[in-house]
Amino acid sequence: MSDDRAKRIDDALASLVDSIIPTDPHEDEATADERHDRALDLARDSLESPIAPSIVSNANHASDLIKKKLIQESSSPDKAIHFSNLYSRLLAQPVLSQKWAILYLLQRLSHIETPLESQDNQRVSNTSIRGGRDILHNSRDSFLAGSGTQRNGESQSAFEDAFSTHGLPKMPAKDRAQRPEQPIDREISPSENALLHDLPYTLQGLSSTNLPFASISSLTLPPSLPPPTISLLHALAEPSLLYRGIAAFVQSSEGGLIGQSLRSAVSGELRSYLGLVAALEAEIRRSLKVVDDSVSSQDARKATVTLKRCVIWTREATMGLRLMSLVVEESKSTTLHLHDIVTVDCKIVANDTEGKQGGQLISLIHGFSSSHGDPFVGVFAERLIAHVTRPFYDMLRHWIYDGELSDPFLEFFVSEQPVKEEDTRSDPRKAGATSVWEDKYKLNEEMIPSIVTQDFAKKVFLIGKSLNFIRYGCGDSGWVEGYSKEASKELRYGDTATLEASIDEAYKTTMARLIHLMADKFKLFDHLTALKKYLLLGQGDFIALLMETLSAYLDRPANTLLRHNLTAQLEHAIVGSNAQFDSPDVLRRLDARLLELSHGETGWDVFTLEYKIHAPVDVVITPWGSKQYLKVFNFLWRVKRVEFALGTTWRRCMTGARGVLASVADKVGADWKIARCCIAEMIHFVCQLQYYILFEVIESSWDTLQLAINKPECTLDDLIEAHKKYLVAITHKGLLGSVKASSSGNREDGFLSQLHEILKIMLAYKDAVDGLYSFSVAEFTRRQELSAKIETRTAQGKWGITENDDDDLRSPSPANIGRGGRNGLGGADSPLLPSEVTSANSEGQMLPALKQRLQQLSTDFKARVSVLLGDLAYQPDVDMRFLGVVMNFNDVYQPVRRKKREKERKDERKDDKDKGTEKKAKPKGGSDTKSGEGKDGSEAH
């Protein structure tokens, strides 16, 4: 059985050799048989000692490769399906044991290019012969390389001659060996051996005889080389040029700590690259020595080092150099782009771009390690980033454990910002400890590396800033040093679990310590409570006593007030109220002071309370916040003053109604009813406004603040933000907003200005009512004097009433009115204008003037309240709309939209202007009439 198999193999080999070996008609039969026997022996030797394939014998894998090739070459899957059927039939054949070898041979044969068809049949035949010869030639090379045996020069020469295009030569082998061998290939200059000799120098960035460097960015190649060699040298020139640029970067000293760490890491990679070049140089020298010692060109062909193999050996190193070059380019201000590396002169163009540093550089390298598809690039980038991030983690350790920023080259994502005096003066919120906390350090989001998240970076920023503030702002450096010694750990790249645990622990510890200091040592929450009690009028008994003791003193002109008197009254109010039980530190910070004086102002206009805040509490209660508290206090103090004044007037009216006013009810009783109704409206308005601000606004906002600051994980930034929202809510919902611009371009009155005008009207109405009370008292006095005079005259036997007494009965004198009350007509606090007083004194119409004044103020009050209610009705805030509902619960007012009110005012001004034009045309009394209209117009305005 074995003999039959051997015979079939010999027959198959003989047929194969006969079909491949060309015939020579000039060759004799003995020589042809000898050549045929040698080829058959070579084929038999190849089968008996096969070369081990470089892949594992797997029939399924070979089948998959063939099907993949069929699918790629044809858009239709029919061929792949047909091959699958054939493969199934092949597996079912038990006779064929080398199924994988058959499939592998077919797969390898499929990669041979099919010769192009032409009209010349002989050309097709010769091409087929050359293709078959090349297959056997490759098999022979593989056999020689795999077996490791050295054949003599005669057998090799015979093999080459046998497979040459023209067959065997005519002359004998002995004579042919004596003749000089003619090389088939054309001689090139310089030769490949010369290029290989210079290649190690070129790979190290050094100029050589055949491959000189024109500059750091250009390599000159010999122009006489053929294109294939030029292509190989282009591939070898890339690592050479990349090495020169990277080496120049490593030798420079620019950049920060991370840049220097990058240079160190790149320098280590370059040393590995030079080790590869050294190994390559040793192989080249060994190969060139073999070529020099050999006699024939056949020995030279046995050299194991060629330009193509050098390209393959340096491929991975070139990829690493590319990656390092890209990183180097991004880290420098001047980058090198290898655009012209495939040109003959290998020119490199340099462009100026903005370089990356610090966290940006780490993000660049981390992008290659985390998102690049090539495993080699990922591993290489991981090796680089492990060295580059060492300075970054040292900065991070100093920041989260010591609160110190060790970043001399601004590479960390936290940067220190010097506070300028101009910024402090322009923005009062950047003063004191506030500037230290908010403006000393900034989070530079552009420098945050991709190895950390945004939330992680913000937490790190807050930890270091808190430690720094504890050390310098709170004066607790001892705790910071102890914490640093106890909790400090080494941080490095790749240990994510340890890093996150360290950051979380440092965050909790630091925030707890900072809140403890602010709450217990510096009494932040006590100060917030004191501000609410004293500046937001939360301490009712203290405010009532203070206003009662200061009312008479603040009625004086502002330029006559003395601060020590105000301080004495303040201390008296503290002692006489529950404020005396507060801590001495809180009471020591409370002080009375005067605002800037203006001409004609009274003490009510310039008096204010001040609560002094010192560092580090002013981080939360900033100077801007103190101004907001002062603004709210001044407004509430004015509302409280109006309430106190109206209450005083109401008590006088109610007391007088049972005595003095009842005696003159026949003359002023109706006026007093109207006045009491209007005062009741004003008191209702003030009480509802005060209730809304104190309870609906301040108390609700205070509850929200308490919830925010009592959270278990509350930070100092949370406290600052919660307090800021607290003040904004008070000023916005408390109707203390700024002046707004209307759609027409005019400035509209905000709620604060509207309320100020309404309060002014209330005070003016209170003065007018006091004038009416004075008039009523004067009338009562006049009647009492007249009654006494009648009784005296009657007792004397005279007439009780004379003509002069009759005139006095009709009109009381101004002197009597002046004696009848504190606010007489024409005095400093007169409810009438000077022109009205003069007119009333001259014409005896004081009571009509008072009635007109009261009517005018009442009308103006109702009109302004209607406008205010109209604005409140369209506010987005529910509480503000509810305020309007409470003030107008019985619909006594008709809310007016602002646009409608402006239109009515324009119509009134137009009517007044037309009336003034008509009165100017009158020849008599024109001046009096015009002055009267001007007075009315000014009042209406």
Side-chain angles (χ1 to χ4, degrees):
M1 185 69 182
S2 60
D3 295 339
D4 295 340
R5 183 174 182 275
K7 185 176 180 181
R8 286 200 306 271
I9 293 175
D10 290 339
D11 295 340
L13 285 178
S15 301
L16 180 62
V17 170
D18 291 340
S19 62
I20 293 177
I21 295 178
T23 58
D24 188 359
H26 304 287
E27 185 180 22
D28 56 355
E29 184 177 357
T31 304
D33 292 341
E34 183 181 0
R35 181 159 58 91
H36 180 272
D37 293 340
R38 286 200 304 268
L40 187 60
D41 293 338
L42 178 61
R44 188 178 292 108
D45 293 339
S46 299
L47 292 178
E48 292 176 355
S49 59
I51 302 174
S54 59
I55 60 176
V56 181
S57 58
N58 190 342
N60 293 330
H61 179 66
S63 172
D64 293 339
L65 292 178
I66 295 175
K67 283 193 291 185
K68 183 177 179 180
K69 181 176 179 60
L70 293 175
I71 293 174
Q72 291 177 352
E73 292 179 351
S74 177
S75 59
S76 176
D78 296 338
K79 292 184 178 180
I81 295 174
H82 182 62
F83 171 77
S84 300
N85 297 330
L86 295 178
Y87 177 65
S88 301
R89 294 169 61 186
L90 176 65
L91 294 178
Q93 295 293 330
V95 180
L96 301 176
S97 60
Q98 302 293 333
K99 298 181 177 64
W100 170 82
I102 296 172
L103 293 175
Y104 183 73
L105 175 63
L106 294 176
Q107 194 268 341
R108 296 298 298 171
L109 290 175
S110 65
H111 287 283
I112 301 176
E113 296 182 359
T114 305
L116 298 176
E117 295 182 357
S118 62
Q119 296 179 357
D120 191 357
N121 296 329
Q122 183 65 30
R123 180 180 177 185
V124 174
S125 175
N126 293 337
T127 304
S128 302
I129 294 174
R130 284 198 302 271
R133 184 201 61 182
D134 290 340
I135 295 175
L136 290 184
H137 182 69
N138 293 337
S139 301
R140 191 266 309 175
D141 288 342
S142 302
F143 167 73
L144 292 177
S147 61
T149 59
Q150 298 292 335
R151 295 181 178 274
N152 54 24
E154 180 180 357
S155 61
Q156 292 178 2
S157 176
F159 184 87
E160 293 294 334
D161 293 341
F163 287 95
S164 62
T165 304
H166 302 288
L168 293 171
K170 294 181 180 180
M171 64 182 61
K174 183 184 296 186
D175 297 337
R176 182 167 43 84
Q178 295 177 356
R179 293 187 57 184
E181 186 176 0
Q182 298 294 331
I184 300 175
D185 297 333
R186 178 177 59 88
E187 292 291 339
I188 58 175
S189 178
S191 62
E192 184 175 1
N193 293 338
L195 295 176
L196 288 173
H197 182 272
D198 294 343
L199 183 60
Y201 301 99
T202 303
L203 293 177
Q204 298 179 63
L206 301 176
S207 297
S208 58
T209 304
N210 299 311
L211 300 173
F213 284 92
S215 64
I216 191 174
S217 59
S218 63
L219 174 66
T220 303
L221 301 181
S224 59
L225 295 175
T229 306
I230 291 291
S231 177
L232 295 176
L233 291 179
H234 282 165
L236 294 172
E238 181 180 3
S240 306
L241 294 174
L242 291 175
Y243 175 82
R244 285 174 65 90
I246 297 173
F249 169 76
V250 171
Q251 295 173 2
S252 63
S253 59
E254 299 176 356
L257 297 178
I258 296 180
Q260 295 174 12
S261 179
L262 175 63
R263 287 180 173 84
S264 176
V266 170
S267 177
E269 296 297 334
L270 290 184
R271 285 193 294 270
S272 300
Y273 169 75
L274 292 179
L276 173 65
V277 174
L280 181 62
E281 182 181 8
E283 290 293 329
I284 292 175
R285 290 182 181 275
R286 185 183 62 81
S287 176
L288 293 179
K289 183 178 180 181
V290 172
V291 173
D292 293 340
D293 295 341
S294 63
V295 179
S296 64
S297 61
Q298 300 298 328
D299 294 334
R301 288 195 177 123
K302 294 189 301 181
T304 60
V305 179
T306 60
L307 290 177
K308 183 178 292 186
R309 290 187 177 182
C310 291
V311 171
I312 296 174
W313 290 342
T314 58
R315 181 172 298 170
E316 290 190 357
T318 303
M319 294 176 63
L321 291 173
R322 287 175 185 171
L323 178 60
M324 289 190 292
S325 177
L326 178 60
V327 175
V328 167
E329 290 171 5
E330 295 291 342
S331 65
K332 297 191 301 182
S333 59
T334 303
T335 61
L336 299 178
H337 297 282
L338 301 176
H339 291 310
D340 299 336
I341 201 168
V342 296
T343 60
V344 175
D345 294 332
C346 296
K347 299 294 183 180
I348 295 182
V349 181
N351 297 328
D352 292 336
T353 59
E354 184 179 358
K356 297 181 182 296
Q357 61 177 355
Q360 298 174 342
L361 195 57
I362 295 176
S363 299
L364 175 67
I365 303 175
H366 183 255
F368 288 108
S369 65
S370 61
S371 60
H372 202 280
D374 193 338
F376 171 79
V377 174
V379 173
F380 191 90
E382 283 286 327
R383 191 165 62 249
L384 275 182
I385 200 173
H387 293 277
V388 173
T389 53
R390 288 177 182 175
F392 171 80
Y393 282 103
D394 289 339
M395 299 177 195
L396 182 63
R397 182 175 58 83
H398 283 290
W399 178 249
I400 64 174
Y401 292 125
D402 299 329
E404 298 290 346
L405 185 60
S406 177
D407 184 21
F409 298 98
L410 304 179
E411 297 175 296
F412 199 52
F413 57 83
V414 178
S415 59
E416 185 174 0
Q417 305 292 329
V419 180
K420 300 180 181 179
E421 296 182 359
E422 297 100 12
D423 298 339
T424 305
R425 289 194 297 267
S426 60
D427 191 354
R429 288 176 287 186
K430 298 181 179 180
T434 305
S435 60
V436 176
W437 175 259
E438 293 186 353
D439 300 322
K440 185 177 181 180
Y441 295 106
K442 291 294 183 183
L443 179 62
N444 189 1
E445 295 184 357
E446 295 181 355
M447 299 298 292
I448 298 177
S450 58
I451 59 177
V452 298
T453 61
Q454 290 284 340
D455 295 338
F456 183 88
K458 291 179 180 178
K459 187 178 292 187
V460 168
F461 171 69
L462 190 57
I463 291 172
K465 187 172 67 169
S466 301
L467 287 174
N468 187 271
F469 185 74
I470 292 173
R471 182 191 293 269
Y472 297 105
C474 301
D476 197 6
S477 58
W479 181 87
V480 176
E481 293 176 359
Y483 166 75
S484 176
K485 293 179 181 179
E486 179 183 356
S488 181
K489 299 177 183 178
E490 182 182 0
L491 305 177
R492 61 182 181 273
Y493 176 76
D495 195 357
T496 307
T498 303
L499 180 61
E500 291 181 354
S502 301
I503 294 300
D504 292 339
E505 182 181 357
Y507 180 79
K508 294 178 181 179
T509 305
T510 306
M511 293 301 105
R513 180 63 182 178
L514 182 57
I515 297 301
H516 170 75
L517 290 175
M518 297 299 291
D520 296 342
K521 182 178 180 180
F522 299 105
K523 308 296 182 183
L524 170 63
F525 301 145
D526 294 343
H527 294 314
L528 291 175
T529 304
L531 286 168
K532 175 179 177 293
K533 291 169 62 176
Y534 298 113
L535 294 189
L536 302 183
L537 308 190
Q539 190 73 27
D541 57 342
F542 165 77
I543 297 299
L545 183 57
L546 179 65
M547 181 163 291
E548 184 177 353
T549 56
L550 288 176
S551 59
Y553 190 70
L554 295 179
D555 286 334
R556 302 177 185 178
N559 53 7
T560 62
L561 301 181
L562 298 177
R563 186 174 181 181
H564 66 273
N565 293 332
L566 297 176
T567 305
Q569 298 296 334
L570 176 63
E571 293 178 356
H572 172 71
I574 291 174
V575 174
S577 64
N578 289 331
Q580 61 180 321
F581 301 108
D582 281 340
S583 64
D585 181 60
V586 171
L587 298 178
R588 186 170 57 251
R589 295 171 182 268
L590 191 63
D591 191 16
R593 67 184 183 93
L594 300 175
L595 300 176
E596 296 182 2
L597 303 180
S598 299
H599 179 70
E601 290 183 339
T602 63
W604 294 103
D605 300 323
V606 297
F607 172 79
T608 186
L609 285 182
E610 179 184 17
Y611 192 85
K612 298 178 181 179
I613 298 295
H614 303 296
V617 181
D618 59 352
V619 171
V620 180
I621 308 172
T622 62
W624 172 83
S626 299
K627 286 190 175 182
Q628 298 302 309
Y629 278 112
L630 184 62
K631 181 179 179 181
V632 177
F633 172 79
N634 290 334
F635 175 70
L636 293 177
W637 182 256
R638 172 168 287 192
V639 174
K640 204 73 176 178
R641 176 212 173 180
V642 172
E643 182 193 22
F644 179 78
L646 292 176
T648 303
T649 302
W650 179 263
R651 286 192 298 272
R652 288 180 61 188
C653 295
M654 293 297 101
T655 304
R658 295 188 294 269
V660 178
L661 300 182
S663 301
V664 294
D666 57 333
K667 190 171 185 178
V668 293
D671 300 328
W672 273 111
K673 289 182 180 180
I674 297 174
R676 282 194 294 267
C677 290
C678 189
I679 290 177
E681 290 184 20
M682 293 180 179
I683 292 176
H684 171 74
F685 178 87
V686 171
C687 290
Q688 294 301 327
L689 177 63
Q690 195 171 206
Y691 166 80
Y692 167 75
I693 295 176
L694 293 179
F695 294 96
E696 298 294 340
V697 176
I698 295 178
E699 286 297 334
S700 61
S701 301
W702 176 259
D703 292 340
T704 304
L705 175 64
Q706 291 297 312
L707 292 176
I709 64 180
N710 291 326
K711 289 182 179 179
E713 297 182 356
C714 181
T715 64
L716 188 58
D717 280 332
D718 295 336
L719 288 178
I720 296 173
E721 186 65 23
H723 184 256
K724 183 179 178 181
K725 291 181 178 179
Y726 170 66
L727 292 178
V728 171
I730 290 176
T731 54
H732 173 69
K733 295 179 64 176
L735 309 179
L736 303 181
S738 59
V739 179
K740 301 179 181 179
S742 62
S743 58
S744 60
N746 300 325
R747 291 172 64 85
E748 296 181 354
D749 294 337
F751 289 115
L752 182 60
S753 59
Q754 292 185 55
L755 291 173
H756 279 324
E757 292 298 328
I758 293 175
L759 295 177
K760 286 181 182 179
I761 293 174
M762 291 180 180
L763 292 176
Y765 194 85
K766 174 256 180 188
D767 293 338
V769 171
D770 289 343
L772 180 62
Y773 186 83
S774 299
F775 179 85
S776 301
V777 172
E779 177 66 19
F780 174 76
T781 304
R782 187 189 63 79
R783 292 185 181 187
Q784 291 293 331
E785 292 177 354
L786 182 59
S787 177
K789 187 184 295 185
I790 290 174
E791 291 178 359
T792 303
R793 288 181 179 181
T794 302
Q796 293 176 357
K798 298 179 181 180
W799 293 101
I801 298 177
T802 62
E803 294 181 356
N804 293 332
D805 296 333
D806 192 29
D807 294 336
D808 293 339
L809 185 61
R810 294 190 184 95
S811 176
S813 62
N816 292 335
I817 297 178
R819 294 192 301 268
R822 181 170 59 88
N823 295 326
L825 294 176
D829 298 329
S830 174
L832 301 179
L833 297 175
S835 59
E836 293 176 337
V837 174
T838 304
S839 176
N841 292 337
S842 60
E843 300 178 4
Q845 296 181 354
M846 288 174 288
L847 183 58
L850 285 171
K851 292 181 179 180
Q852 181 181 359
R853 179 65 172 168
L854 291 171
Q855 180 64 30
Q856 177 184 352
L857 292 174
S858 176
T859 303
D860 197 5
F861 169 75
K862 293 181 179 180
R864 290 188 176 274
V865 171
S866 298
V867 173
L868 177 64
L869 294 177
D871 292 342
L872 290 175
Y874 294 94
Q875 290 299 313
D877 188 79
V878 179
D879 294 332
M880 296 179 71
R881 295 199 302 269
F882 181 72
L883 173 63
V885 174
V886 172
M887 288 182 175
N888 193 24
F889 68 96
N890 55 356
D891 292 335
V892 68
Y893 303 106
Q894 298 297 327
V896 179
R897 292 297 300 275
R898 187 183 298 273
K899 295 181 180 180
K900 183 178 180 181
R901 180 61 180 169
E902 289 179 355
K903 184 178 181 181
E904 292 177 355
R905 289 181 179 178
K906 290 181 181 179
D907 296 339
E908 291 177 0
R909 295 193 188 104
K910 185 177 181 181
D911 295 341
D912 294 341
K913 186 176 180 181
D914 295 340
K915 292 179 181 179
T917 305
E918 293 176 358
K919 292 182 179 181
K920 285 181 181 180
K922 296 181 179 180
K924 295 182 181 181
S927 60
D928 296 338
T929 305
K930 183 170 65 175
S931 63
E933 288 299 325
K935 177 186 67 176
D936 296 340
S938 63
E939 291 174 358
H941 178 68

